[in-house]
Amino acid sequence: MATLSSLGVGSGLDAENIVTSLVALERKPAEAVKAENTKLDTKVSTWGKIQSAFSSLQDAANSLNSNDFWTAAKATSSDASTVGVTTSAASAPGSYSITVQSLASSQYVASAAYADKTAAVGQGTLSIQLGTYTSSGGVPPVVTFNAKAAASQLDITIGPEDNTLEKIRDKINSAGAGITASLVNDATGARLVLRGATGSENAFKIAVTEAPAAPGLSALAYDASTGGTSQMSRTQSAANAQATINGLAVSSATNTMTDVVDGLTLQLSKVSATPVNVEVNRDTDAIRKGIDTFVSAYNNVVSTLRVQTKYDEASKTAGPLQGDTTARSLLSQIRSLIGSSSGASSVFGRLSDIGMDIQTDGTLSVKSDKMSTAMNNLGELKKFFANSDAANVSNDGLSQRIKSLTTQLLGTDGAINSRTEGIKSLIERNKDKIERIDAKATLAEARLRAQYTLLDANMAKLNGLSSYVTAQLAALHKNN
């Protein structure tokens, strides 16, 4: 007997549609579970938004709790092209009159001219030492060289493969001797130029020991001390920057003076004919910006919780967390905290004292004039926000209390993570339920297809027998 190629062919029934419909009924409960998981996925995403909002609020609170935040300073220079200034957390308000007498300079020495950079100079050893040239001031002055503390003599060997002007330059630059070599080319030829770091202590001398078989390296000797031997010419001396700050003479090996004035970095760019005035003040703009960031972060938390938990009468739609007790509790906690008073400051006890008003929707608005007045008393304003009292938490400042709350809520065992993990667990259980429903439906489909296949086979046999009997009866009737 031929194999049946399509379900229902033997029986004449629409068996494929019957099986498909019955299997769909078996899978129907999974659709409701999938729809529930879609809603649960939305809740997980929503809790992620809430977590992000609280995390931003925590960051804003931590900024306000930092001592550096309240000591932020800004500085201005009456002539930044002469004296530039930058501040740090240690900068204190003050006024400074700065006159630059001279800038820090480096020692430069230059060799005699050679034909070109490949010209052979000689072989031997260059001995380089950093230090200070000091003049006795007599007539004639006696110049002595004093080696720099902790700076040892560096010997550079110049062999037959290193004896050209350019190779000697490269050997000096790679030796780490504290000087930099370069080549200068002009109409007379190529010269080796050596430069030290700025500052009088970074002058240098070069002693030379020549190889007898290849003389000429002594042309690179330099020592400006009395009795010293110099074949190279000094084009600039090493010197410290010299300035006066409020009449006090100061000196620096570089043109960047760090912490000559506590917390300030002064960049000297040129000699000044008249004093440059530098003013350092508290950076109230930065402080106000930090407070505004805190307010915005708090408002975002409140707005996010309200939107996700509200029921919109106009559209007849509910937020993903409408009726969620955890979300409603968070909103209640944060609003209760922000509205409470504190003993942190003896001047400012509540938000309204510093110009912050709680709106009907729970968000904050800032009255600029009142906030500006409060910022005239930065010491007490800092206490209002950042005071920390381990013995009595009721004396903690607002941002300290926000920090404590957000740390608790955002922790591994906090309400936000616990609620999120609870929803995720429910999603996983639903996925298992869907798999069980699918497995049951698959078995039912297999069973139904087997039953209808058997029915088809049996009906095919009966139909064949019926046709045979009919044919036999017709034959008998014809013969009679």
Side-chain angles (χ1 to χ4, degrees):
M1 182 180 289
T3 303
L4 297 172
S5 59
S6 179
L7 199 64
V9 169
S11 64
L13 298 172
D14 188 1
E16 184 65 40
N17 185 53
I18 293 172
V19 171
T20 301
S21 298
L22 290 173
V23 172
L25 286 174
E26 289 284 346
R27 287 196 165 97
K28 191 69 174 178
E31 295 179 7
V33 180
K34 290 178 180 178
E36 181 184 358
N37 265 8
T38 298
K39 293 180 180 178
L40 292 175
D41 284 334
T42 300
K43 288 186 178 183
V44 170
S45 177
T46 300
W47 277 109
K49 294 177 183 177
I50 293 172
Q51 183 180 42
S52 177
F54 271 103
S55 181
S56 296
L57 177 60
Q58 184 182 58
D59 291 342
N62 286 338
S63 293
L64 267 60
N65 291 333
S66 168
N67 284 328
D68 290 351
F69 174 83
W70 298 98
T71 58
K74 62 180 178 181
T76 58
S77 170
S78 63
D79 184 359
S81 65
T82 299
V83 180
V85 58
T86 55
T87 61
S88 70
S91 301
S95 298
Y96 307 94
S97 176
I98 302 171
T99 303
V100 182
Q101 282 84 29
S102 62
L103 297 177
S105 59
S106 303
Q107 176 180 314
Y108 279 83
V109 295
S111 70
Y114 288 81
D116 56 37
K117 64 182 181 180
T118 62
V121 178
Q123 300 174 34
T125 302
L126 299 175
S127 298
I128 301 173
Q129 193 165 24
L130 303 181
T132 305
Y133 287 107
T134 305
S135 174
S136 66
V139 180
V142 176
V143 178
T144 57
F145 180 83
N146 300 302
K148 186 177 181 179
S152 58
Q153 176 178 297
L154 183 66
D155 295 332
I156 302 174
T157 301
I158 306 299
E161 69 282 3
D162 308 314
N163 71 338
T164 65
L165 205 60
E166 64 177 345
K167 292 294 182 64
I168 291 174
R169 174 201 62 191
D170 296 341
K171 288 276 285 190
I172 292 173
N173 286 336
S174 62
I179 63 175
T180 301
S182 60
L183 297 181
V184 174
N185 298 283
D186 60 16
T188 61
R191 301 172 187 269
L192 180 68
V193 177
L194 304 180
R195 171 178 60 85
T198 60
S200 60
E201 286 189 350
N202 293 311
F204 57 89
K205 69 176 183 178
I206 304 173
V208 177
T209 303
E210 288 192 336
L217 193 63
S218 59
L220 302 183
Y222 179 81
D223 184 353
S225 63
T226 299
T229 301
S230 296
Q231 298 299 322
M232 301 182 81
S233 303
R234 184 170 66 187
T235 58
Q236 181 173 286
S237 300
N240 287 348
Q242 304 291 335
T244 56
I245 301 177
N246 289 348
L248 178 67
V250 295
S251 176
S252 172
T254 71
N255 292 313
T256 301
M257 293 186 169
T258 302
D259 284 338
V260 172
V261 177
D262 281 346
L264 294 186
T265 297
L266 303 175
Q267 182 62 49
L268 310 183
S269 299
K270 60 184 179 181
V271 173
S272 57
T274 57
V276 176
N277 296 316
V278 170
E279 295 286 339
V280 182
N281 297 290
R282 285 283 169 250
D283 192 351
T284 53
D285 290 340
I287 294 172
R288 176 59 190 271
K289 183 178 179 181
I291 294 173
D292 288 343
T293 298
F294 173 82
V295 171
S296 295
Y298 171 81
N299 287 347
N300 184 46
V301 167
V302 172
S303 298
T304 300
L305 286 169
R306 280 176 53 83
V307 168
Q308 304 304 329
T309 58
K310 77 175 183 178
Y311 179 79
D312 191 335
E313 287 287 352
S315 62
K316 305 298 181 184
T317 57
L321 302 183
Q322 200 269 332
D324 189 299
T325 56
T326 301
R328 289 165 59 187
S329 175
L330 294 185
L331 183 57
S332 176
Q333 288 182 66
I334 196 73
R335 291 187 64 172
S336 175
L337 186 154
I338 207 77
S340 61
S341 59
S342 164
S345 166
S346 60
V347 177
F348 309 121
R350 303 180 67 86
L351 286 171
S352 57
D353 295 335
I354 64 169
M356 290 186 185
D357 290 337
I358 302 175
Q359 307 300 294
T360 55
D361 63 357
T363 59
L364 296 175
S365 67
V366 181
K367 293 180 178 177
S368 295
D369 54 347
K370 200 166 185 180
M371 176 60 73
S372 297
T373 300
M375 291 189 68
N376 290 328
N377 191 346
L378 283 180
E380 289 300 319
L381 189 61
K382 175 185 176 182
K383 291 179 182 178
F384 175 81
F385 280 105
N387 190 63
S388 179
D389 189 342
N392 186 357
V393 293
S394 65
N395 290 332
D396 281 350
L398 177 61
S399 52
Q400 287 288 357
R401 285 178 284 148
I402 289 290
K403 172 190 172 184
S404 298
L405 177 62
T406 53
T407 298
Q408 175 188 346
L409 295 178
L410 294 170
T412 304
D413 298 327
I416 295 176
N417 188 65
S418 297
R419 188 71 181 99
T420 303
E421 292 303 315
I423 297 172
K424 288 180 179 179
S425 295
L426 183 55
I427 291 173
E428 291 304 315
R429 291 197 296 271
N430 282 345
K431 287 180 180 178
D432 292 339
K433 187 183 296 184
I434 292 169
E435 288 179 1
R436 291 194 298 270
I437 293 171
D438 284 342
K440 182 179 177 182
T442 299
L443 291 174
E445 182 178 12
R447 184 179 68 254
L448 288 168
R449 288 188 178 279
Q451 290 172 345
Y452 277 96
T453 299
L454 181 59
L455 175 61
D456 277 350
N458 290 333
M459 288 299 294
K461 291 177 181 179
L462 289 174
N463 288 336
L465 181 59
S466 176
S467 296
Y468 174 75
V469 171
T470 300
Q472 289 300 315
L473 289 174
L476 287 174
H477 179 72
K478 181 178 181 181
N479 291 333
N480 291 333

